[in-house]
Amino acid sequence: MKAVKKHREYDYVEFQNVYAPADGTYALKISYATPMDNASVALLINGEETVLTTPPTADWAIFNTKLIAVDLQEGDNSLLFTAQEGFVQIDYIEVLGEVGEEGLDEFVENPKTYDNGILLYALLALMFLGGFAATFLVRKRMAGNDLIE
C-alpha cells in the first residue's frame, strides 16, 4: 500500500494498492487527528463516495481511530480521502478483514486490561495491614510503660 499526496495543496491523500483477496465488504480502520468540531472527509473507493464525520481529537498530535465497512474489489483498490469540512489529518489506514455476520462488532477492540489494578489493591492492603500492625505495636509498648491501662 502506497500513500500519495498532492504536493502543492494538501487537500487529499490517496492510498494505492490496497489489496483485497476477494470482492466483499471489509472492515477499515482509519487513524486520524483533528481538533475541529465539524470536520469530515470524503472517501472515494473505486468510484463510490462516502462522507465520513470525524469527531474531534482535541489536538493535531492526538489520534483517534474510526472503524467503517467498505466494499473492496478483488485485487488492488485505490482509496482517496478528500477534504470536506474543516481539516483532518489521516495518519494510516488498515484493512482488518472481511465483515461477517456480526458486522463491525467483531473488529471492535476491547480495552486492554493489565494486572495494575490487582497490584494497587495489594499495595493498599499492605498499607492498611502495616498501619494496623504499627498501631498495635505502639499501643502495646505504651501499655508496657504504664501510660495506658
Side-chain angles (χ1 to χ4, degrees):
M1 173 169 33
K2 176 180 163 190
V4 178
K5 288 186 180 179
K6 192 173 180 179
H7 292 291
R8 278 184 261 145
E9 300 170 22
Y10 290 98
D11 59 355
Y12 77 84
V13 63
E14 182 178 11
F15 293 91
Q16 298 175 345
N17 306 323
V18 178
Y19 180 76
D23 289 353
T25 302
Y26 290 84
L28 179 70
K29 181 164 78 170
I30 303 164
S31 175
Y32 72 92
T34 182
M36 299 180 167
D37 285 333
N38 297 319
S40 63
V41 294
L43 171 58
L44 185 66
I45 303 174
N46 303 321
E48 296 288 324
E49 184 176 88
T50 304
V51 175
L52 308 172
T53 58
T54 51
T57 60
D59 191 84
W60 289 110
I62 298 173
F63 289 86
N64 195 5
T65 57
K66 185 171 186 79
L67 190 61
I68 63 168
V70 296
D71 292 325
L72 298 178
Q73 299 170 356
E74 180 178 355
D76 289 333
N77 294 265
S78 174
L79 281 66
L80 179 72
F81 292 87
T82 58
Q84 288 292 298
E85 181 79 24
F87 298 98
V88 178
Q89 177 181 336
I90 304 292
D91 184 30
Y92 70 86
I93 63 169
E94 182 180 359
V95 178
L96 300 177
E98 196 164 5
V99 175
E101 291 181 17
E102 294 180 40
L104 291 175
D105 289 342
E106 65 184 288
F107 297 100
V108 175
E109 295 177 9
N110 292 324
K112 293 182 167 84
T113 56
Y114 300 99
D115 290 337
N116 295 344
I118 294 171
L119 183 60
L120 177 62
Y121 287 126
L123 181 61
L124 290 173
L126 286 173
M127 289 172 55
F128 174 75
L129 292 174
F132 178 74
T135 303
F136 178 74
L137 290 174
V138 168
R139 290 181 143 262
K140 184 172 178 156
R141 183 172 179 111
M142 293 174 81
N145 291 334
D146 294 329
L147 297 174
I148 298 177
E149 296 180 357

